[in-house]
Amino acid sequence: MEYNESEFLIETLVPKDELIISRTDLKGNITYANDTFAKISGYKIDELLGESHRILRHPDMPKRVFKNLWETIGLKEQWQGVIKNLRKDRGFYWVHATISGVYKNGQLIEFKSIRTPISFEEKLKYQKLYDEYRNIDKDNIRIIKYIN
Ligand SMILES: Cc1cc2nc3c(=O)[nH]c(=O)nc-3n(C[C@H](O)[C@H](O)[C@H](O)COP(=O)(O)O)c2cc1C
């Protein structure tokens, strides 16, 4: 697919008074998405349902963050962390995410995620931290290398 590097530079700000909510099956396929999730990610709800949550994976995200996420929720614990997500138009948005299990009669049936905005300072901090993680782990390099 052809793309222009500059597309990756556009940030969408997550509103403070709205929550981005989704649920997935146990493999991470989206089973529910609210309007705010669709609006901020640039997809229609119908385009998100049935897709893997990986559809939002931004190339700046280190593998180890998602490894930790899946290990944590696999132990039936709640995971909280900061995620940089990729929009349909290849722009990005930062969120603080809380991910945990959905139980029915004591049995784990789905996962749910609620996301809220983070501050500008936190975005800088996590961008730097995640750049370091990818560097240490020899993950992919950053797409945007030069900003003139
Ligand atoms: C409830 C739930 C919400 C998730 N939310 C996101 C998300 O917002 N962005 C994202 O990149 N991955 C999210 N993931 C993780 C993805 O399923 C996936 O592990 C990740 O994108 C990395 O892809 P990979 O596992 O193929 O390496 C979520 C997983 C679950 C279970």
Side-chain angles (χ1 to χ4, degrees):
M1 194 196 284
E2 292 246 345
Y3 62 82
N4 183 332
E5 266 199 3
S6 60
E7 291 178 327
F8 286 91
L9 291 170
I10 311 294
E11 177 173 14
T12 296
L13 295 175
V14 175
K16 284 200 176 64
D17 53 353
E18 289 177 57
L19 293 173
I20 300 175
I21 300 174
S22 65
R23 285 201 308 270
T24 72
D25 64 17
L26 299 180
K27 291 181 186 152
N29 298 314
I30 299 168
T31 56
Y32 170 83
N34 73 343
D35 284 331
T36 302
F37 182 16
K39 187 174 72 182
I40 302 301
S41 66
Y43 288 97
K44 296 199 173 78
I45 291 177
D46 279 355
E47 293 176 305
L48 290 166
L49 297 179
E51 285 295 328
S52 166
H53 228 305
R54 188 186 298 126
I55 193 171
L56 300 177
R57 192 188 194 292
H58 195 284
D60 283 358
M61 285 300 294
K63 288 198 184 94
R64 69 161 89 171
V65 173
F66 296 117
K67 191 166 174 272
N68 174 256
L69 185 169
W70 281 103
E71 280 170 6
T72 306
I73 60 177
L75 295 169
K76 304 196 171 182
E77 287 169 13
Q78 173 179 283
W79 182 87
Q80 290 199 43
V82 171
I83 303 182
K84 184 180 191 177
N85 273 328
L86 185 70
R87 281 174 48 96
K88 186 181 182 183
D89 63 10
R90 300 185 201 90
F92 66 93
Y93 60 100
W94 283 98
V95 291
H96 175 272
T98 303
I99 301 179
S100 58
V102 179
Y103 295 86
K104 196 177 174 186
N105 303 323
Q107 211 191 327
L108 178 67
I109 54 162
E110 286 197 313
F111 293 115
K112 62 172 187 284
S113 176
I114 296 177
R115 307 175 190 87
T116 52
I118 62 170
S119 68
F120 179 70
E121 289 74 20
E122 282 177 296
K123 291 171 193 173
L124 290 180
K125 178 182 142 189
Y126 279 93
Q127 182 69 63
K128 244 183 107 182
L129 181 70
Y130 290 171
D131 282 353
E132 278 168 26
Y133 284 168
R134 289 197 322 282
N135 214 346
I136 294 165
D137 298 344
K138 310 244 182 310
D139 274 3
N140 61 294
I141 51 155
R142 221 149 138 202
I143 288 193
I144 306 297
K145 281 170 288 187
Y146 309 107
I147 301 171
N148 295 314

